[in-house]
Amino acid sequence: MGFYGTLKLIFHKMKRKLDHGPDGRPFSSGKKHCKGRAHLSPSSLAQATPTTFGDLRLANGLSAQRRRVVSGPPPSGLQDWLHMFQAWSGPERLLALDQLIDSCESGQVKHVMQVIEPQFQRDFISLLPKELALYVLTFLAPGDLLQAAQTCRYWRILAEDNLLWREKCREDGISDWASSRHRKCVRPGVAVSPWKSAYIRQRRIEDNWRKGDTQEAKVLKGHDDHVITCLQVSGDLVVSGSDDNTLNVWSAITGKCLRTLTGHTGGVWCSQMAAATVISGSTDRTLRVWDAESGECVHTLHGHTSTVRCMHLHGNRVVSGSRDTTLRLWDVTTGRCERVLAGHAAAVRCVRYDGRRVVSGGYDCMVKVWDADTEACLHTLRGHTNRVYSLQFDGVFVVSGSLDTSIRVWDADTGRRVHKLTGHQSLTSGMELRDNVLVSGNADSTVRVWDVRTGQCLHTLQGGVVWRIRASDTRLVCAAGSRNGTEETKLLVLDFDLDDRKKETD
């Protein structure tokens, strides 16, 4: 056995003695911390393999003379003992050292450990060219990178590399806007990667969503005592529609109503929003396209023969569902109807569209999956025992909420039911699904947060009767109130980006 093998066996023998009591059982607590770090220089790598511990210290650029323990004159016979030890074979030395360690007290073993342990610590990252070191770090998970940054100053510099964190963000689907927004918060003179800041911010927001961590809700009041029938969130704008025939545009930051959109001759029952473009559907059987900044009505879309109850926007195309049992696919830019989907036996109450497939739920208790281009019905999802009022669709899961109080999770490709979520006591009128986290608003005065992969309810929020619910990456907006006037109509805005709001306040 070579020198390194012998040294390693001694090291592990002593470490076990320190980590265990006299009876061999491990101590209940007490972690050992590294006392130092040895660096191999390039020249040392070219030298011959050390044969003794003294040779090893010289190879590492350290003095062969180490600090001696001051305990009086050396014991008699020490030199004879050392000469005898050197005359033994490798296995005989190991046997002698093994018994010697067992005879030592903990303080004596600790002293030897302090001498030997640094020789096993190799900062290989610092020896590599920067490009190669960064390549090695690309194999680390983001959480491991954050820990690596705490190792030493040079590792921190490497772990702050902006291109490295850009790739980690892209792997996790964090887009450029998240990074650019946080770049403004980086203080001058502080070498912090903007992409790293964006990653940490995104993980913090997701954690706040799961734990329900948020400050007190901002309350927006409007539409008098009328019911808020639809709700949209885009950036810092919130748009609410009501059975008073109007839509209000709000600032999510100040809570003020910026303008009111008027033109419908019947109650507004559904809406969609992208940037400053708002689309609304009404009991007057029309859809209207609005500019939220100017309040101008850009298009009025005619075609449905009864109330427009639901819609969903993707790109410049919107799918609308009506009490006339059909769905229509429109081009928002031109106002032209491109497709008509027929198959429900009763009013279509909710719809989702991802640019390729349409998912609809109706008063016939059915959920249907359609091919938007061919108008073919791909799946009919059966299971609900009452009207389907709300839907979510992320390309993988279809989630449906019903008057039967249950929420069902379906596989979008096969049509198979994955979970049946129970806990609500009434109608689930609104849901939001993001990153496998489902938020459901119910007429039982609760909002529940679920993990759709496991079917587990993560937490329950108590409040008033929630009629509509919408979410952005950082905000949750709920429309609350009652149809009989016992509770005032209001919007509740919850912000989960706690640090950003605190910085804005400071």
Side-chain angles (χ1 to χ4, degrees), residues 137 140-161 164-165 191 196 200:
L137 294 183
L140 294 180
D144 295 330
L145 266 180
L146 294 175
Q147 291 186 344
Q150 303 176 35
T151 303
C152 64
R153 184 175 181 273
Y154 183 66
W155 280 42
R156 178 179 176 81
I157 294 173
L158 291 175
E160 290 287 348
D161 184 80
L164 176 64
W165 279 104
K196 175 184 174 182
I200 294 175

Side-chain angles (χ1 to χ4, degrees), residues 352-368:
R352 303 295 290 184
Y353 173 50
D354 69 352
R356 184 171 64 91
R357 288 177 291 184
V358 175
V359 182
S360 59
Y363 284 176
D364 56 4
C365 310
M366 301 296 182
V367 176
K368 289 180 177 287

Side-chain angles (χ1 to χ4, degrees), residues 14-293:
M14 291 187 296
K15 189 174 188 302
R16 178 172 177 81
K17 184 176 179 68
L18 284 178
D19 290 345
H20 293 71
D23 56 358
R25 291 182 298 178
F27 290 119
S28 59
S29 62
K31 290 186 177 181
K32 312 298 181 299
H33 297 283
C34 178
K35 298 298 183 181
R37 185 175 73 247
H39 295 270
L40 287 176
S41 63
S43 61
S44 69
L45 297 175
Q47 294 179 359
T49 302
T51 57
T52 68
F53 185 70
D55 293 338
L56 177 64
R57 290 173 59 81
L58 286 174
N60 289 337
L62 302 175
S63 172
Q65 296 297 321
R66 58 181 179 271
R67 181 174 58 85
R68 303 294 183 179
V69 176
V70 181
S71 58
S76 60
L78 176 62
Q79 292 300 320
D80 294 337
W81 185 87
L82 291 175
H83 290 148
M84 184 182 299
F85 180 83
Q86 292 169 355
W88 289 338
S89 66
E92 291 172 335
R93 292 183 182 185
L94 284 178
L95 178 62
L97 287 171
D98 197 42
Q99 296 188 19
L100 177 63
I101 292 171
D102 286 339
S103 302
C104 290
E105 298 175 356
S106 295
Q108 297 161 351
V109 174
K110 184 176 181 180
H111 167 74
V112 180
M113 285 280 289
Q114 290 173 343
V115 175
I116 294 178
E117 189 173 14
Q119 306 306 316
F120 290 97
Q121 298 166 0
R122 296 290 182 268
D123 185 3
F124 70 94
I125 289 291
S126 298
L127 297 175
L128 297 174
K130 182 178 179 180
E131 294 77 8
L132 187 55
L134 287 172
Y135 177 73
V136 172
L137 294 183
T138 62
F139 292 94
L140 294 180
D144 295 330
L145 266 180
L146 294 175
Q147 291 186 344
Q150 303 176 35
T151 303
C152 64
R153 184 175 181 273
Y154 183 66
W155 280 42
R156 178 179 176 81
I157 294 173
L158 291 175
E160 290 287 348
D161 184 80
N162 203 39
L163 295 180
L164 176 64
W165 279 104
R166 184 184 68 179
E167 292 306 311
K168 295 302 176 184
C169 286
R170 287 182 176 176
E171 290 172 7
D172 273 33
I174 300 175
S175 58
D176 291 330
W177 70 264
S179 176
S180 62
R181 176 181 175 185
H182 206 85
R183 188 177 289 115
K184 300 175 183 178
C185 299
V186 179
R187 293 172 295 175
V190 178
V192 178
S193 161
W195 282 101
K196 175 184 174 182
S197 299
Y199 181 90
I200 294 175
R201 172 177 176 262
Q202 185 66 22
R203 294 287 81 81
R204 184 187 68 246
I205 292 171
E206 291 178 2
D207 192 50
N208 291 341
W209 271 99
R210 291 182 174 274
K211 293 181 179 179
D213 292 341
T214 179
Q215 291 187 359
E216 185 176 353
K218 189 182 298 297
V219 180
L220 317 181
K221 297 181 180 181
H223 298 291
D224 298 324
D225 294 329
H226 290 270
V227 174
I228 295 176
T229 56
C230 53
L231 193 59
Q232 296 300 320
V233 181
S234 179
D236 293 328
L237 294 180
V238 176
V239 175
S240 58
S242 171
D243 60 0
D244 64 4
N245 303 358
T246 69
L247 298 102
N248 283 347
V249 181
W250 310 80
S251 168
I253 298 176
T254 65
K256 294 181 179 180
C257 181
L258 304 178
R259 61 193 56 87
T260 299
L261 310 180
T262 60
H264 279 296
T265 58
V268 177
W269 282 99
C270 54
S271 63
Q272 284 287 279
M273 186 178 186
T277 299
V278 177
I279 304 99
S280 58
S282 168
T283 59
D284 64 13
R285 300 175 292 181
T286 69
L287 287 80
R288 286 178 177 259
V289 182
W290 311 82
D291 184 325
E293 293 181 348

Side-chain angles (χ1 to χ4, degrees), residues 6 17 21 37 46 210 217 224 253 322 324 338 376 437 439 477 500:
T6 302
K17 184 176 179 68
R37 185 175 73 247
R210 291 182 174 274
D224 298 324
I253 298 176
S322 169
D324 63 14
E338 298 182 340
V437 176
V439 182
V477 183
D500 272 10

